[in-house]
Amino acid sequence: VLKKNDLDERTQRLLQTAQRNARQLLTFVNEILDLSRLQNNGAELRVQATRLNDFLETTLQNFQPSAESRQIQIQFDHLAEPAWTLELDRDKLLKILNNLLGNALKFTPAGGEVVLSAEKQDSRLLLSVRDTGPGIHPDDLPHIFDLYYQSKHPDTNTEGGTGIGLAFARELAQVMGGRLWAECPPNQGSIFYLDLPARECPPASA
């Protein structure tokens, strides 16, 4: 119906609201199903050789239109080794990053910034997503990865949050042999860190 050109403004606005709500509900249901499967059956790693810089660049590009519409600058701090290739479960890593980047954009005001960074630390990979939003209330910080947790502070913007996304992301990080945590420096927004094993692919034969 939204593809029709003869809709009046009020009808179009109502349909767009219904579409947004339906998509939020679909996301909510899928998160519950995914988390339930993960908790009940565990999950196998399905790794693929992944050139990390390319993967992260592509992931970030998917958020570019949303960032532009919100007048937020979004950028990627590239690794010093552009050809660094790891054995990664792309699907699980993508779900984690989509959650972190989506949250960062949600809570960052117009004119702010979201930065995705990657560092090589010995045999580990450290990814981070930093934003310039209002940060996380100190009372909430220890609980943000708890399933269904919602902030009890009236000045905290939950914007349709379900309390599932971060719990699911943490479970996925653990399945990948890593850990996920957050820090909130005073007046500097929020930073989410994802630490993973860096299983390097053997160099290709000559």
Side-chain angles (χ1 to χ4, degrees):
V1 176
L2 279 169
K3 292 179 181 178
K4 295 182 178 180
N5 296 321
D6 57 351
L7 298 174
D8 61 82
E9 183 179 347
R10 181 175 181 276
T11 301
Q12 187 175 43
R13 189 169 62 250
L14 289 171
L15 286 171
Q16 288 171 340
T17 299
Q19 185 183 54
R20 282 196 302 271
N21 290 341
R23 286 175 174 167
Q24 285 183 354
L25 182 59
L26 178 62
T27 299
F28 175 64
V29 171
N30 285 336
E31 285 178 342
I32 291 176
L33 292 174
D34 286 341
L35 184 58
S36 177
R37 280 193 292 264
L38 187 61
Q39 291 178 332
N40 292 333
N41 305 318
E44 294 181 3
L45 284 178
R46 298 180 179 178
V47 299
Q48 304 173 63
T50 303
R51 184 171 287 195
L52 190 63
N53 263 348
D54 294 346
F55 176 82
L56 296 177
E57 184 73 53
T58 300
T59 301
L60 203 65
Q61 285 173 359
N62 293 333
F63 288 88
Q64 195 67 46
S66 177
E68 290 177 358
S69 70
R70 292 170 175 257
Q71 300 179 340
I72 296 170
Q73 183 179 357
I74 187 168
Q75 65 183 46
F76 172 41
D77 283 348
H78 292 72
L79 281 159
E81 300 178 36
W84 197 33
T85 302
L86 302 176
E87 290 184 345
L88 289 171
D89 188 320
R90 297 182 195 174
D91 179 64
K92 291 180 179 58
L93 180 55
L94 183 61
K95 287 177 178 176
I96 296 172
L97 291 176
N98 281 347
N99 185 280
L100 299 182
L101 290 167
N103 282 344
L105 286 176
K106 184 192 301 183
F107 295 112
T108 299
E113 181 182 57
V114 172
V115 180
L116 171 63
S117 301
E119 294 179 43
K120 183 179 181 181
Q121 297 187 341
D122 298 324
S123 60
R124 309 291 296 181
L125 165 65
L126 182 65
L127 301 173
S128 66
V129 174
R130 175 176 59 83
D131 65 59
T132 55
I136 303 168
H137 194 282
D139 292 344
D140 293 329
L141 193 57
H143 305 288
I144 58 172
F145 295 103
D146 295 347
L147 186 58
Y148 303 128
Y149 180 78
Q150 298 280 345
S151 174
K152 297 175 177 56
H153 294 276
D155 57 342
T156 300
N157 174 22
T158 57
E159 197 176 315
T162 62
I164 296 175
L166 286 176
F168 182 46
R170 181 184 60 180
E171 294 274 354
L172 291 174
Q174 291 172 351
V175 168
M176 297 175 71
R179 67 187 186 104
L180 178 64
W181 74 98
E183 295 179 2
C184 196
N187 304 315
Q188 294 183 40
S190 305
I191 310 174
F192 283 79
Y193 293 98
L194 175 62
D195 174 80
L196 294 171
R199 303 182 180 95
E200 297 191 47
C201 293
S205 338

